[in-house]
Amino acid sequence: MTVKLELIDELKRRANVSYEEARDALEKTNGDMVEALIYLEKQNKVNQEKESNFFTIVKKIIKKGNRTKFIVRKAETTILSLPVTAVVIITVVAPYVTVIGLIVALLTGYKIKFQGKNGEEMKVNETIDKVTNIVDKAKESFTEDIKK
């Protein structure tokens, strides 16, 4: 039996399954939408949480933010280690304090890093390292100019 694309789209949307799973379910149930939904439920293929759900996405972002750490170090000593979620909240509440704190940290030789769940390095650290190197070179150049 061939199933119309409209039915497949509707089942895909309602059950949050792939096109293939929707087509197979509709073929096995002779195009009956209700029976196809029941069939998918019995197969444990119906995904209750839709990725497009705003609150689901927000919860995932917060969980990831809680697992990711914002770390400020001086030499080998950790000065500050906070979840990224807390850093974002602080930045929203007191943006000037955060910006000034970051500038002061960079100018005084502190290292800023983001660390993932299992201690893995984050890609953003490459950019932070580049900025730190630029700031260090600017400090050296400024210091040399003052000594002259």
Side-chain angles (χ1 to χ4, degrees):
M1 169 185 191
T2 58
V3 181
K4 290 186 177 183
L5 182 59
E6 292 83 21
L7 276 176
I8 295 171
D9 279 338
E10 182 64 21
L11 183 58
K12 180 185 179 307
R13 186 186 65 75
R14 287 183 182 214
N16 197 23
V17 296
S18 70
Y19 278 105
E20 181 181 14
E21 290 169 325
R23 183 199 66 211
D24 291 346
L26 285 165
E27 285 177 350
K28 288 182 177 155
T29 59
N30 296 321
D32 186 326
M33 181 70 71
V34 175
E35 288 299 316
L37 280 166
I38 293 169
Y39 171 79
L40 287 170
E41 283 178 349
K42 287 181 180 177
Q43 300 288 319
N44 290 323
K45 291 185 178 179
V46 175
N47 298 320
Q48 297 297 331
E49 277 189 56
K50 289 188 176 184
E51 290 299 319
S52 63
N53 184 342
F54 175 75
F55 294 110
T56 302
I57 293 169
V58 170
K59 283 199 288 189
K60 284 182 180 181
I61 291 170
I62 290 172
K63 281 183 182 179
K64 186 170 185 174
N66 287 339
R67 289 190 307 255
T68 305
K69 299 288 184 193
F70 174 79
I71 300 171
V72 178
R73 288 192 176 124
K74 179 79 172 200
E76 295 300 316
T77 305
T78 300
I79 306 300
L80 180 69
S81 178
L82 293 173
V84 169
T85 306
V87 174
V88 169
I89 292 169
I90 292 167
T91 302
V92 168
V93 172
Y96 298 114
V97 173
T98 305
V99 170
I100 292 169
L102 286 173
I103 292 170
V104 169
L106 287 172
L107 291 174
T108 55
Y110 288 84
K111 301 293 180 193
I112 298 166
K113 297 280 183 198
F114 287 89
Q115 195 173 50
K117 179 181 174 183
N118 298 320
E120 71 265 9
E121 290 287 318
M122 308 295 287
K123 238 182 177 182
V124 71
N125 289 338
E126 295 172 14
T127 305
I128 293 172
D129 288 341
K130 288 177 184 176
V131 170
T132 302
N133 290 336
I134 291 169
V135 170
D136 288 344
K137 287 178 184 175
K139 282 190 318 188
E140 289 172 14
S141 175
F142 182 72
T143 305
E144 289 174 9
D145 288 346
I146 290 178
K147 288 181 182 178
K148 291 181 181 178

